[in-house]
Amino acid sequence: MTQKAMSATSTNLWVLLGLGIAGIILVTRKLKKAVREDFGAFVERLQLLPPPQPAPPKAPHPLTGLSFAVADVFDIKGWVTGFGNPDWSRTHEPAYQTSLAVSTVVEGGATCVGKTIISEMGYSIFGGHKHYEAPTNPVAPARIGGGSSSGSAVAVAVGLVDFSLGIDSIGGVRVPAACCGVLGFRPSHGAISNAGVIPVSPSLDTIGWFAKDPSILRRVGHVILQLGYVDSRPRHVIVADDCFQLLKIPKARVVQVVTKSAEKLFGKQVLSHTNIGDYLASKVPSLKHFHNKNKNGELKLSSLRSLATAMQLLQRHEFKSLHAEWISSTKPILDSVVSAFLKTDESLEANISSCQLIRNETRVALNSLLKDDGILVIPTLADLPPKVGAKEAFSEEYQTRALSMLAIASMSGCCQVTVPLGSHDKCPISVSFIARHGGDRFLLDTVQAMFGTVQEQVVVVSKSNLSSNALSQEESAEFAKEKGNNAFKERQWQKAISFYSEAIKLSGKNATYYSNRAAAYLELGSFLQAEADCSAAIDLDKKNVKAYLRRGTAREMLGYYKEAIEDFRYALVLEPTNKTATLAANRLKKLFQ
């Protein structure tokens, strides 16, 4: 070979090597961006450990073994509370003590693992963010995760924590819960101390929480609200027909689920219907000041819209009173939503005393309607969660429909819970139950009692002619998976495998089904089957951490130690703080390398 040819070959090799390295860097960057192990839910990782367990015969702490996260409006000693704005973080010192609500939960036995993202200054109920990438909705990635406490909802929905805390003024907990398909509880106004929480609108602010499991939702409620365990049941379930008329999905898909569940559990006699707008119009005279005029200049009755208008004015007034001075002196870069709210018409501000009167009258009216044993049923949202980046969430029509629902509890101070009802058009849908102000224990007990039956009726109604859409194979597969999960919890491994197999038959491209079946095979000692299922799951989803962990366990038991170490190490690439993977990788490295 000539020197010229050798030189050309050497040059080509260096070019190829350079291209290869560049490709690796690009792929690594792309993978890092794509793999957000926490779906963008967290802004800070930390750890607050509960106190030691009391000595027997005293009972263990009620929240023992549970992990939780908090929205970045809660003070944690030694950490700056970010309030969703980097300028706020820059101009404020670390908290000198932890929020009372957080301390109460930690003292109850739960472990705090981090702070979650909120919309800027806790304002928007539809998420989005000028400064931070919004969390990804794990159940509908093309849809928003809601606001303001979207990070807390996402952390629960993806299973990173057992429950989480958020702040709800005009929907900051209820909306993300609806968007992410989890339970979200807004307690009665004033039921929990807001000490150590950055206020948005004190007369509307409440500390709420998210969970997937109604028993966890209830346990947290009994600790944070300092409630005793006393059973109660509803004797009046009131469906707000006018609210459901605003629903943009088939009404039967929601109403029939609730009514059939209530009939099955409590009897038909508990059910009744009302137009809550008409009821409030007759019981809250102050609302007439906010009625809109039609084209002829006459008053057009729209009580729920008027209630929503009063709520927004009250929130804006209180927010400006609290934070306008800081904004004026700091001149931070603000999201357009916050900036727009700060420019409220001064003539509208003059109506604040009327807004406060509406709030007081609405509480009296709702308490009179619901009494001690009534539940008001409304949609959480009238529409499906908006698509990411879509302008519909900021349109007047969309906002009006949403806030008309949310204002009922916010302006009355009543407690409300968002209950997931499966999906429609591949988007999570939900319903909300409202109980009187102070009826938090009653509402938590009602959710606990009804949740299982409600989920059963979701499937029953979907299959029936009451629904305008036939039950899809994906929904059937999800139902089979849930039955498999229940069997797994009851340690019925073979039964769980049967249900997971049914789910795979219905929808064979879902990595979770294979991974879950692998977990059941591991319990039975069927390591080859577990390895095969995990490999199938990984082929479908390269980011499935559980599949890598389970395949690593199966391979370790089969004696494939090198391959097992590789699985545990890759799990750590996806989730660097995973203790199971760290311990397993270190153990195998010491023994076999």
Side-chain angles (χ1 to χ4, degrees):
M1 184 180 291
T2 65
Q3 186 174 358
K4 184 176 181 181
M6 291 177 65
S7 176
T9 301
S10 177
T11 300
N12 289 337
L13 287 172
W14 280 108
V15 169
L16 289 172
L17 181 60
L19 289 172
I21 293 171
I24 291 171
I25 293 172
L26 287 172
V27 169
T28 303
R29 287 178 178 174
K30 185 176 181 181
L31 181 64
K32 184 176 180 182
K33 183 177 181 181
V35 180
R36 292 202 296 169
E37 65 186 34
D38 62 3
F39 285 72
F42 285 88
V43 290
E44 299 277 5
R45 290 282 192 169
L46 52 90
Q47 192 174 61
L48 296 181
L49 295 174
Q53 294 291 343
K58 290 185 177 180
H61 299 306
L63 302 180
T64 295
L66 299 181
S67 62
F68 76 103
V70 300
D72 197 18
V73 291
F74 291 83
D75 286 346
I76 293 181
K77 185 178 180 179
W79 296 80
V80 176
T81 309
F83 207 20
N85 184 287
D87 289 309
W88 184 277
S89 299
R90 177 179 56 82
T91 56
H92 286 78
E93 298 295 322
Y96 66 90
Q97 65 181 21
T98 298
S99 159
L100 182 58
V102 176
S103 297
T104 299
V105 173
V106 172
E107 290 293 321
T111 299
C112 181
V113 298
K115 288 190 171 193
T116 55
I117 196 167
I118 63 164
S119 55
E120 186 172 38
M121 301 187 81
Y123 222 101
S124 172
I125 60 170
F126 292 112
H129 220 294
K130 189 180 187 73
H131 306 287
Y132 308 107
E133 188 173 356
T136 301
N137 187 335
V139 296
R143 305 279 173 161
I144 66 167
S148 60
S149 302
S150 56
S152 289
V154 168
V156 169
V158 79
L160 297 173
V161 290
D162 298 300
F163 68 94
S164 58
L165 303 184
I167 189 78
D168 188 308
S169 298
I170 63 170
V173 167
R174 292 164 288 168
V175 173
C179 292
C180 296
V182 297
L183 291 156
F185 194 86
R186 173 195 162 94
S188 299
H189 184 261
I192 302 172
S193 170
N194 284 1
V197 181
I198 300 175
V200 175
S201 175
S203 69
L204 303 173
D205 290 348
T206 59
I207 293 170
W209 59 98
F210 304 88
K212 279 185 177 180
D213 187 329
S215 65
I216 292 178
L217 191 84
R218 184 170 179 258
R219 285 167 64 188
V220 173
H222 280 262
V223 168
I224 200 168
L225 291 163
Q226 302 292 302
L227 300 174
Y229 285 85
V230 178
D231 289 330
S232 54
R233 55 181 288 160
R235 289 180 171 79
H236 303 282
V237 176
I238 306 166
V239 179
D241 288 335
D242 51 343
C243 292
F244 284 100
Q245 294 301 325
L246 296 174
L247 209 56
K248 294 301 179 180
I249 64 173
K251 178 181 175 182
R253 182 68 176 82
V254 179
V255 175
Q256 294 296 335
V257 168
V258 177
T259 56
K260 293 293 182 182
S261 301
E263 287 177 4
K264 184 175 180 179
L265 289 170
F266 313 121
K268 291 185 178 181
Q269 70 278 5
V270 305
L271 287 165
S272 63
H273 296 259
T274 190
N275 285 332
I276 193 66
D278 291 347
Y279 175 79
L280 292 175
S282 66
K283 299 293 183 180
V284 185
S286 301
L287 277 175
K288 67 182 180 181
H289 298 297
F290 289 85
H291 290 164
N292 300 313
K293 291 185 177 181
N294 62 22
K295 293 180 180 180
N296 298 321
E298 298 174 351
L299 287 178
K300 181 181 178 182
L301 186 65
S302 179
S303 300
L304 293 178
R305 182 168 185 170
S306 300
L307 193 68
T309 300
M311 175 183 71
Q312 287 180 287
L313 291 178
L314 196 56
Q315 186 200 26
R316 293 175 184 180
H317 170 77
E318 294 181 350
F319 182 87
K320 287 176 67 175
S321 298
L322 289 164
H323 304 303
E325 184 178 345
W326 174 80
I327 291 171
S328 177
S329 61
T330 307
K331 301 190 184 309
I333 300 173
L334 295 174
D335 185 270
S336 58
V337 175
V338 179
S339 298
F341 284 160
L342 290 171
K343 297 176 182 178
T344 306
D345 189 338
E346 290 185 5
S347 64
L348 295 178
E349 293 286 345
N351 291 312
I352 292 305
S353 59
S354 296
C355 295
Q356 293 167 340
L357 183 58
I358 288 172
R359 186 189 63 213
N360 297 337
E361 291 178 352
T362 303
R363 177 176 298 184
V364 173
L366 262 294
N367 284 352
S368 177
L369 175 69
L370 299 174
K371 300 182 174 61
D372 291 335
D373 54 7
I375 294 290
L376 180 67
V377 182
I378 66 170
T380 308
L381 290 173
D383 300 76
L384 295 173
K387 291 182 179 179
V388 175
K391 295 180 179 179
E392 61 175 317
F394 301 101
S395 70
E396 183 180 356
E397 182 183 2
Y398 192 100
Q399 291 268 338
T400 296
R401 285 198 301 272
L403 295 173
S404 293
M405 305 290 133
L406 298 165
I408 296 171
S410 288
M411 288 297 281
S412 67
C414 291
C415 48
Q416 177 177 338
V417 62
T418 298
V419 180
L421 296 183
S423 62
H424 176 79
D425 196 21
K426 297 183 180 180
C427 289
I429 58 175
S430 66
V431 71
S432 273
F433 300 156
I434 296 175
R436 68 167 179 84
H437 181 267
D440 304 78
R441 181 174 63 196
F442 165 66
L443 185 56
L444 287 165
D445 290 347
T446 298
V447 175
Q448 173 81 1
M450 291 187 66
F451 188 79
T453 305
V454 164
Q455 300 311 311
E456 290 174 4
Q457 289 300 318
V458 167
V459 177
V460 172
V461 170
S462 297
K463 287 181 176 179
S464 73
N465 292 329
L466 294 170
S467 174
S468 62
N469 297 312
L471 186 70
S472 68
Q473 281 192 316
E474 287 78 12
E475 287 176 313
S476 297
E478 277 295 295
F479 185 57
K481 183 203 75 173
E482 290 303 320
K483 291 195 289 187
N485 290 348
N486 290 333
F488 191 94
K489 290 177 183 178
E490 296 171 2
R491 305 177 67 83
Q492 298 178 353
W493 317 125
Q494 197 60 56
K495 190 175 180 181
I497 288 170
S498 297
F499 284 127
Y500 293 139
S501 298
E502 180 183 347
I504 291 169
K505 186 177 179 180
L506 289 165
S507 182
K509 294 184 178 181
N510 190 308
T512 300
Y513 302 160
Y514 287 97
S515 180
N516 286 9
R517 190 170 70 175
Y521 276 133
L522 285 175
E523 295 292 342
L524 290 174
S526 302
F527 303 119
L528 284 172
Q529 291 92 331
E531 182 192 32
D533 269 356
C534 289
S535 295
I538 290 167
D539 286 340
L540 292 167
D541 180 7
K542 302 296 184 185
K543 298 178 287 184
N544 194 313
V545 175
K546 289 182 179 179
Y548 283 105
L549 293 174
R550 289 164 182 167
R551 190 171 70 175
T553 301
R555 286 176 167 177
E556 181 180 356
M557 299 306 295
L558 290 167
Y560 306 151
Y561 303 122
K562 181 179 178 181
E563 291 84 354
I565 291 174
E566 290 175 354
D567 279 337
F568 291 128
R569 285 177 175 171
Y570 198 82
L572 286 171
V573 171
L574 296 173
E575 195 172 297
T577 60
N578 191 290
K579 292 182 180 179
T580 301
T582 301
L583 293 171
N586 291 339
R587 181 182 68 252
L588 289 173
K589 183 178 179 181
K590 290 178 181 177
L591 290 174
F592 304 105
Q593 286 191 348

